[in-house]
Amino acid sequence: MSSASRSVRAIAVCGAAVLAMAGCSSDTGAGGAQSSDTYTWWDPYPQHKKSSEWAERVAKCGDKAGVTIKRTAYDTTALTNQALLAAQEGTSPDLMLLDNPAVSTLADTGMLTTMKEFGLGTSGIDKNLLAAGVVDGKKYGIPVGANTLALYYNKDVLDAAGVDPASVKDWDSLTAALKKVTGAGKKGITFAGIGTEEGSFQFLPWFWGAGADLHDLDSPEAADALKLWTDWRKRGYAPESVINNSQNTTWEEFLTGKFAFAVNGTWQVDSAAKAKFDTGVLQIPGKDGGVAPTPTGGEFITAPVQKDTGRYDVTKKIVKCMTTPEGMVETAKTFAYYIPPTKATQDQLLKEKPRLKPWVKAVRTAKGRTSDNLGTDYPKISEPLWTAVQKALSKSKSPEGALKEAQSTAKDKVG
């Protein structure tokens, strides 16, 4: 275990902005002195109130460890900012669930323990999911579950256009399907090209599916991916709205029943089942076939550094409770859209929820956004990337020109 005096490196945070953040649930207050029988827990689920199954699940793990868990929930951005502030003030919670790209950011400050320091093994976790929490070979948390992207399709629209979903195996066959659908008077595909992290998140399967690398944003492969999106827009296979679409608005478009395909995530499983038309799920294809890597979403359970290292024994019990095979499956069922992070637990979940099979397959081939040892460099690359997507979709720059500018910007930021 690292020393209690382990320093937290300088953190560039706008204090006023952090203090002004909203979105905290009413379950508990944040910060404050920690007592020996109360352990603090922060997570990014303000939608899950004190009476929710999730809150009860967290509380039960405290009961098993012989303590009370004081849970505070923030939205994702507020949680990261609050964590950085708490690190500066020495008021970090005992446990935090972090959106996976935030793990490297907080690990870089020195505020998180490694799992090796904490005495917890990670050998059974799928490597592609664990990678988002690895910085310089050190593991800073355990994924409690993952979600990712795939192609939802409207079976009624495809049937009317004479398109067999099984025929979609690469970019050419997908584009051919879009041509048939729009020729039959329906709409092709909708996706989120918004100028935020959601835009990068949705573009990455096509970027990676072309063989592109985030270290080289202006490669020919990257240009192929962006040309695919801009060509779809030019031909009318994708609507003008994609440039402003969030993942939520994309889904709202799909639920109108007019679109053949929508790029969206595991979290829409229940909504798709309730749609007024038959839906299905396809893996996003790579340019020349196969399954494109899709970015992983989901949270890691982490243990911040504490001045009182005597607290770690109980914290470890709580972490173990949350990450047993049974615990991982229970988390997946509690949220309905999480896929557990080990093959054994994925197989167990499929016995109870076989309709999640396409999503288990998608998660098994997914990739962390901070993988390839990008760590804290990822946000410096992601913003220029989504900016390039915006410029290309708006026709203010060619795909090649937009990506060349993005690479220059990213290089300046990363150094």
Side-chain angles (χ1 to χ4, degrees):
M1 181 56 58
S2 62
S3 167
S5 63
R6 183 180 182 178
S7 63
V8 177
R9 290 186 286 277
I11 306 167
V13 182
C14 176
V18 172
L19 292 172
M21 279 288 179
C24 177
S25 81
S26 59
D27 290 353
T28 66
Q34 295 170 317
S35 65
S36 60
D37 60 353
T38 299
Y39 277 63
T40 49
W41 168 294
W42 293 359
D43 68 43
Y45 310 132
Q47 70 274 31
H48 294 285
K49 304 301 181 183
K50 191 173 183 178
S51 60
S52 67
E53 288 184 42
W54 171 249
E56 291 176 359
R57 169 154 164 60
V58 172
K60 284 180 182 178
C61 280
D63 293 342
K64 287 183 179 180
V67 297
T68 297
I69 290 182
K70 184 180 180 183
R71 173 179 171 257
T72 304
Y74 301 91
D75 67 39
T76 299
T77 300
L79 175 61
T80 302
N81 288 336
Q82 191 66 41
L84 291 167
L85 182 61
Q88 289 180 313
E89 297 177 342
T91 57
S92 296
D94 292 288
L95 299 112
M96 280 195 300
L97 258 66
L98 295 172
D99 188 27
N100 68 76
V103 176
S104 59
T105 297
L106 297 188
D108 191 58
T109 70
M111 72 172 291
L112 299 180
T113 62
T114 68
M115 292 300 95
K116 182 177 181 180
E117 290 171 328
F118 217 66
L120 288 170
T122 57
S123 59
I125 307 295
D126 287 356
K127 290 183 179 179
N128 66 316
L129 302 182
L130 186 63
V134 177
V135 181
D136 294 330
K138 297 178 181 178
K139 305 173 183 70
Y140 286 92
I142 297 174
V144 295
N147 51 55
T148 194
L149 297 170
L151 277 177
Y152 284 92
Y153 64 84
N154 182 327
K155 187 175 184 300
D156 297 346
V157 169
L158 293 186
D159 285 349
V163 175
D164 180 357
S167 69
V168 176
K169 299 181 180 298
D170 53 24
W171 289 4
D172 285 346
S173 56
L174 176 56
T175 300
L178 297 178
K179 183 178 181 179
K180 280 189 175 182
V181 167
T182 54
K186 293 294 185 178
K187 297 184 178 182
I189 187 169
T190 182
F191 51 84
I194 191 172
T196 69
E197 176 58 26
E198 287 189 40
S200 290
F201 189 76
Q202 289 240 327
F203 183 61
L204 282 173
W206 314 97
F207 182 88
W208 285 331
D213 188 304
L214 285 170
H215 293 95
D216 189 9
L217 296 182
D218 60 349
S219 67
E221 293 81 7
D224 284 345
L226 193 47
K227 285 177 186 176
L228 181 72
W229 272 21
T230 56
D231 284 350
W232 284 347
R233 268 292 301 112
K234 182 179 180 180
R235 298 181 187 184
Y237 299 164
E240 292 183 8
S241 60
V242 294
I243 193 169
N244 295 315
N245 271 354
S246 68
Q247 294 185 116
N248 283 337
T249 54
T250 293
W251 189 248
E252 290 168 5
E253 287 183 335
F254 182 66
L255 289 180
T256 65
K258 298 177 181 179
F259 284 86
F261 298 98
V263 181
N264 225 291
T266 325
W267 51 89
Q268 301 294 6
V269 166
D270 287 345
S271 178
K274 297 174 184 176
K276 296 179 180 179
F277 48 87
D278 290 336
T279 63
V281 177
L282 293 174
Q283 309 307 305
I284 296 176
K287 179 184 176 183
D288 299 317
V291 177
T294 52
T296 55
E299 280 71 43
F300 275 61
I301 188 167
T302 65
V305 173
Q306 301 295 325
K307 292 179 181 178
D308 180 4
T309 57
R311 299 180 69 82
Y312 291 138
D313 286 341
V314 170
T315 300
K316 183 176 178 180
K317 291 179 182 178
I318 297 170
V319 173
K320 290 180 75 172
C321 174
M322 294 296 297
T323 57
T324 62
E326 298 77 13
M328 288 176 174
V329 172
E330 188 174 346
T331 293
K333 292 191 294 184
T334 298
F335 285 109
Y337 52 77
Y338 263 158
I339 303 301
T342 71
K343 185 178 186 304
T345 52
Q346 290 163 4
D347 290 343
Q348 179 59 41
L349 180 65
L350 288 178
K351 290 179 182 178
E352 301 181 46
K353 295 182 178 290
R355 68 191 177 102
L356 291 176
K357 185 175 181 179
W359 293 106
V360 168
K361 183 178 179 181
V363 162
R364 285 176 177 171
T365 58
K367 181 175 180 176
R369 283 165 279 175
T370 58
S371 296
D372 300 328
N373 209 35
L374 286 173
T376 56
D377 286 342
Y378 172 74
K380 302 171 187 175
I381 295 169
S382 177
E383 184 172 358
L385 181 61
W386 83 56
T387 301
V389 170
Q390 285 274 297
K391 290 183 176 181
L393 287 175
S394 68
K395 303 178 184 177
S396 66
K397 280 189 176 292
S398 67
E400 294 89 346
L403 288 167
K404 183 177 181 180
E405 183 178 87
Q407 177 63 17
S408 178
T409 302
K411 188 175 181 180
D412 288 343
K413 288 186 175 183
V414 172

